[in-house]
Amino acid sequence: MTPGRHARIAAVGSALPRRVVPNRYFESLVETSDQWIVERTGIHARRFAGAGETTASLSTEAARRALASAGTAPEAVDLLIVATCTPDRPLPSTAAFVQARLGMSCPAFDLNAACAGFVYGISVGTSQVTAGAADRVLVVGAEVLSRVLNMTDRTTCVLFGDGAGAALLEPGEDAGVIDSVLAMDGAQAELLTIPAGGSEEPTTAESLAKLRNTIHMRDGQAVFKQAVVAMAAAATELLDKAGLQPSDVDTVVAHQANARIILAVGKRLGIDPSKVFLDIAEVGNTSAASIPIALDRAWRSGRLSRGDLVLTAAFGAGLAWGANLIRWTADVPNDHA
Ligand code: ACO
């Protein structure tokens, strides 16, 4: 780390597909109901990508909004990180397509930490800025999960949605991104997985017929319980390291996996529910895109102000989880980007 060099978030942006999919859509596909989905998850609707909309196209749109709000030209970005577990293609990285579409010439790579991808990306990007290796790092979280859903599995198909969010990191005099905590328990990889389509089980007619190229979740309740404990523990570790209390946090922007999980994390930390931002009702679980979409919606609606202490926390496949502690340094945008 270069002494005295900090990283701050200059602006965020997001993009959602046009198509809104209400809970009722699933009632004709599986045995479920709008009431069950709302009560058990807090989700009312999500967005699904349509023709021509992909992880790269949504990433590009979200990145453009963040850059426009920061008043930064794409050519000024030194590093692009795209966090995703639903890339446009196995090869090359989604970041390659986004870099070209934005007219950038900087290095770019994908990062897969599933739902924790954006939290990981902010940590890596911050390290690049504080080390003096880069001035401006664009961190994108983007997913098109609708294309890896098993529409006959009611325990997963109702949970997920598509979208993208982006944050531009740049050097700041005071710490904007104060610190991060990252964690992984790979021994539990089988709990949440897409079994086929990789080197272990290449796509074949048989694997496709068995829908092994879709999300498989084993024991949703176990994932639920571990998510609450792990996110709260990461947040506590982060606050302790910074010498801060849960009561110092102005807004919690957690991964929107399930409203009950997010509220339980807030409760475990002793943070007032009014400080916990929720937008899962409209977007569902968008994995790596979830936190930057929520940050953008919170920011543009005036829920985040300069000087606020923002706590992010995420948990997902891997099992991977983590949290960032951020002093918000961006004024509410008036560019309507
Ligand atoms: N509609 C109606 N009934 C359903 C549905 C549905 N969509 N889904 C499950 N059920 C049924 C179950 O089959 C079960 O029925 P049974 O009692 O007859 O066996 C009953 O509802 C209760 O099931 P539970 O699993 O106990 O329900 P729970 O309250 O735990 O909610 C849920 C399930 C929403 C999946 C919850 O456990 C959860 O949110 N888990 C965490 C998921 C998550 O966070 N994933 C994040 C990572 S994703 C990633 O990394 C890509």
Side-chain angles (χ1 to χ4, degrees), residues 31-33 36-37 40-41 85 114-115 145 154-155 158-160 192 215 217 220-221 223-224 227 255 257-258 260-261 285 287 315-317:
E31 203 179 322
T32 191
S33 64
W36 190 96
I37 301 169
R40 306 310 293 165
T41 71
C85 59
C115 299
L145 291 151
R154 69 178 182 174
T155 68
V158 303
L159 302 178
F160 298 98
L192 264 164
I215 291 182
M217 181 167 69
Q221 269 196 26
V223 177
F224 185 111
H255 168 49
N258 185 320
R260 291 188 296 136
I261 293 178
N285 178 348
S287 190
F315 183 93

